[in-house]
Amino acid sequence: MQLSLKTHSQTEMIDITGEVQRLIDASGVREGICMVYVPHTTAAVTINENADPSVPADMLMVLNQMVPWKAPYRHLEGNSPAHVKTALIGSSELVQVEGGRLVLGTWQGIFFCEFDGPRSRKVNITWMASTLPPPSQS
Ligand code: ZN
C-alpha cells in the first residue's frame, strides 16, 4: 500500500501515525510487523514524540544547524543537505502490530520527514502478518 503526501515546507515533519493505522485496520492484520518505507533520497521516516509539536520543531532546528543549507557541496542539484539529513534519519521504520494496533509508546508517533520540499511524496506501507498466536498476557 502507498500513502501520498503533499509537503508544504523545505523541511517539515508530518505525523502519519493515523494514516498508517488506517491501512493496518483495512488490512485486517491482527499480529505482525508493519514496515514504513520512504522511497525517496531527500525524505525520511522516524518515530518520535508527537504530543508536543516543539519536539519535531527542535529536531528540525538541530538538523538544520548540523547540516547547513549553504556549504561547499559538490552535488550539482543543490540539495546535498537534504540527502545528508535523509541518510542520518533513515528510510524505514518497523513497528510491531498487536491486536490490530500499532504498538507505539504513549508519546510516540510516526513522522514523515521532508528535507527538500515542498513536493509530492510517497510512503510505502507493508506488513507481515504473524501466523503465531499472540503473546500471552501474563
Ligand atoms: Zn540531489
Side-chain angles (χ1 to χ4, degrees), residues 114-134:
E114 174 63 81
F115 295 127
D116 193 22
R119 290 186 189 217
S120 294
R121 297 294 202 174
K122 303 284 184 203
V123 181
N124 294 344
I125 313 294
T126 312
W127 46 83
M128 287 174 279
S130 173
T131 55
L132 300 171

Side-chain angles (χ1 to χ4, degrees), residues 28-88:
V29 171
R30 302 292 299 161
E31 311 294 328
I33 294 171
C34 173
M35 182 175 73
V36 182
Y37 180 77
V38 174
H40 299 289
T41 60
T42 56
V45 63
T46 193
I47 294 175
N48 215 292
E49 176 169 338
N50 67 353
D52 179 358
S54 298
V55 173
D58 287 348
M59 290 176 65
L60 290 177
M61 179 190 73
V62 171
L63 281 170
N64 287 333
Q65 287 172 350
M66 285 171 60
V67 190
W69 200 258
K70 285 196 190 329
Y73 299 113
R74 297 172 62 172
H75 178 45
L76 291 176
E77 199 185 6
N79 61 355
S80 280
H83 291 292
V84 173
K85 290 172 193 165
T86 297
L88 290 172

